[in-house]
Amino acid sequence: MGGATGSKRVPRAVREQQMLDAGVRAFARSGYQNASMDDIAELAGVSKPLVYLYLNSKEELFTACIRREAAALVTAVRAAVERDAQLWSGLSGFFAHAAEHPEGWTLLHVQARTHGQPYAREVAAMRAEIVEFVTQLIGAAAREHARGAARARTLAGTEVSGLAHALVGAAESLADWAGDGRAGGHSAQEAAATLMNFAWAGLGNLLQGTGWSPDRVG
Amino acid sequence: MGGATGSKRVPRAVREQQMLDAGVRAFARSGYQNASMDDIAELAGVSKPLVYLYLNSKEELFTACIRREAAALVTAVRAAVERDAQLWSGLSGFFAHAAEHPEGWTLLHVQARTHGQPYAREVAAMRAEIVEFVTQLIGAAAREHARGAARARTLAGTEVSGLAHALVGAAESLADWAGDGRAGGHSAQEAAATLMNFAWAGLGNLLQGTGWSPDRVG
């Protein structure tokens, strides 16, 4: 690709990524309805007919943007966990990716969910994949803990699944909070640490068989 | 209202509530686009012109349904907390209300968020109110703890706010999970207890100054 700066020389795959970059930015900033194909073509530095030639319609461009950003998020979380198979690594990876790709996160968490079922379903499928992944991580942590501890409690499958749903919901909410400036400049790492304070201490207690119960806080 | 069973005798306020009941049910079951004003009139046991006379349009009916269900949820959480000002009570109240009003919860958490900005904004305003309320509860719990404990740590405002966002996100996610049958019949109380295991144990550790840190899980 070296030297391919003339617009005629850029390969289709590269052009498409530039159009998706422009789409993500425009949809995240202006919303799906307000973002125009004119804006997107201009942001991408191409003609509007070329955008239609490559991506067919605004609907298909939106879907392609959602799929790319969802795949990038899932890949980032998986890559972070592959280093050491720790929940903490996955959370850090998630918050770091959301912080580094604020427009991608807005596209997935706000735009894709507020413009009807086909788009919401794309995001729901990605979310289910992440919940399943977190369920496996919690299950693995619980088994590892059970090997090391004398009086460890086994977590039921539904309990692990519930904890995974709680953790993913908390992470989404914290990423929004950290992303929109209300967090007073809290970093992605701080958001991850805040959540781990919730999750790990609670999970650790559960595994020790000393879970919280209503009696304990009067 | 005793004996006012003939359709002509029912007061307007009562009729409107019946129409909203029907709207919540139809929107939650069929989705906003697929639910028709014919269905809603039939469910409410009134004529379609009467629905239009009272609620003007499908859009206004949808908005009125969202507002009523949002107000009911916020009221339920506030009422639960007023008993003893405990976070646990608020969470129990939230999960119990969501479990008792599954269609209202679906309307707020799924339908209202997937059909464009005006509706999504209604729900965002309700959510902000609940986050603010939970922030106050966590702040109060922290101050109470600080009075009783020798070496308690003060939580920064942004830390409390982050915890509140995490907790609300976790609660939303768990309510969806508990509501859609995947939880294997877990009750609202069990969902609340699962979340308290996360939240309270983690918050308790934070307040003791023994928050989780990456070093502690290798």
Side-chain angles (χ1 to χ4, degrees):
Chain A
M1 288 179 282
T5 49
S7 70
K8 294 277 190 321
R9 300 288 187 78
V10 179
R12 175 168 180 151
V14 175
R15 271 276 176 257
E16 277 191 5
Q17 291 306 313
Q18 291 169 342
M19 292 175 192
L20 294 184
D21 290 344
V24 170
R25 172 152 299 178
F27 293 134
R29 288 185 177 176
S30 312
Y32 175 67
Q33 254 108 34
N34 293 332
S36 74
M37 292 296 262
D38 286 300
D39 300 339
I40 290 164
E42 196 185 323
L43 269 173
V46 299
S47 68
K48 192 161 74 163
L50 196 65
V51 179
Y52 279 103
L53 181 69
Y54 282 9
L55 277 318
N56 290 321
S57 66
K58 188 172 164 183
E59 289 74 17
E60 287 187 37
L61 173 61
F62 192 48
T63 302
C65 288
I66 291 169
R67 286 188 182 158
R68 190 185 75 171
E69 295 306 311
L73 178 60
V74 170
T75 300
V77 173
R78 285 196 181 274
V81 170
E82 270 170 17
R83 287 200 302 266
D84 58 6
Q86 295 286 350
L87 198 52
W88 156 255
S89 304
L91 287 178
S92 301
F94 167 74
F95 286 113
H97 183 87
E100 284 158 21
H101 303 86
E103 290 166 343
W105 175 248
T106 299
L107 182 84
L108 292 176
H109 197 62
V110 181
Q111 293 301 326
R113 286 157 46 130
T114 52
H115 295 291
Q117 275 310 322
Y119 309 122
R121 259 197 297 275
E122 295 279 341
V123 177
M126 172 204 73
R127 191 181 194 275
E129 194 177 341
I130 287 183
V131 168
E132 175 55 36
F133 190 45
V134 170
T135 302
Q136 288 169 17
L137 283 175
I138 294 176
R143 281 192 299 277
E144 192 173 319
H145 187 91
R147 271 203 298 278
R151 330 180 291 129
R153 188 163 81 82
T154 312
L155 297 182
T158 51
E159 204 166 18
V160 173
S161 180
L163 292 170
H165 278 88
L167 193 54
V168 169
E172 291 170 332
S173 183
L174 269 175
D176 277 353
W177 174 74
D180 73 1
R182 283 172 298 163
H186 263 221
S187 71
Q189 286 296 100
E190 285 167 327
T194 295
L195 189 50
M196 280 306 281
N197 269 310
F198 257 31
W200 193 258
L203 187 60
N205 282 349
L206 266 186
L207 292 169
Q208 301 282 1
T210 57
W212 178 91
S213 85
D215 310 327
R216 284 178 56 199
V217 289
Chain B
M1 285 183 286
T5 48
S7 69
K8 293 275 187 327
R9 302 284 188 81
V10 180
R12 175 168 178 150
V14 175
R15 272 275 177 257
E16 278 190 6
Q17 292 306 312
Q18 292 169 342
M19 292 174 192
L20 295 184
D21 291 344
V24 169
R25 173 153 300 179
F27 293 134
R29 289 186 177 176
S30 313
Y32 174 67
Q33 253 109 32
N34 293 332
S36 74
M37 290 296 260
D38 286 299
D39 300 338
I40 290 163
E42 195 183 323
L43 270 173
V46 300
S47 69
K48 193 161 75 164
L50 196 65
V51 179
Y52 279 103
L53 181 69
Y54 282 8
L55 278 316
N56 290 321
S57 65
K58 187 172 164 184
E59 289 74 17
E60 286 187 38
L61 173 61
F62 192 48
T63 302
C65 288
I66 291 169
R67 286 187 183 157
R68 189 185 76 170
E69 295 305 312
L73 179 60
V74 170
T75 300
V77 173
R78 285 196 182 275
V81 170
E82 269 168 19
R83 288 200 301 266
D84 58 8
Q86 295 286 352
L87 197 52
W88 157 254
S89 303
L91 286 178
S92 301
F94 167 74
F95 286 112
H97 184 86
E100 284 158 20
H101 303 85
E103 289 166 345
W105 175 249
T106 299
L107 183 85
L108 292 176
H109 198 61
V110 181
Q111 293 302 325
R113 289 162 38 135
T114 52
H115 294 290
Q117 274 310 320
Y119 310 123
R121 260 197 297 275
E122 294 281 341
V123 177
M126 172 204 74
R127 190 180 195 275
E129 194 177 339
I130 287 184
V131 167
E132 175 55 34
F133 190 46
V134 170
T135 302
Q136 288 168 19
L137 283 175
I138 294 176
R143 281 191 300 278
E144 191 174 319
H145 187 92
R147 272 203 299 278
R151 330 179 293 127
R153 189 163 81 84
T154 313
L155 297 182
T158 51
E159 204 166 18
V160 172
S161 181
L163 291 170
H165 279 87
L167 192 54
V168 169
E172 291 170 332
S173 183
L174 269 175
D176 277 352
W177 173 74
D180 72 1
R182 281 173 299 163
H186 263 219
S187 71
Q189 285 297 99
E190 285 168 327
T194 294
L195 190 50
M196 281 305 281
N197 269 312
F198 256 31
W200 192 257
L203 186 60
N205 280 349
L206 265 185
L207 293 169
Q208 301 282 4
T210 56
W212 178 91
S213 84
D215 309 329
R216 284 178 55 201
V217 288

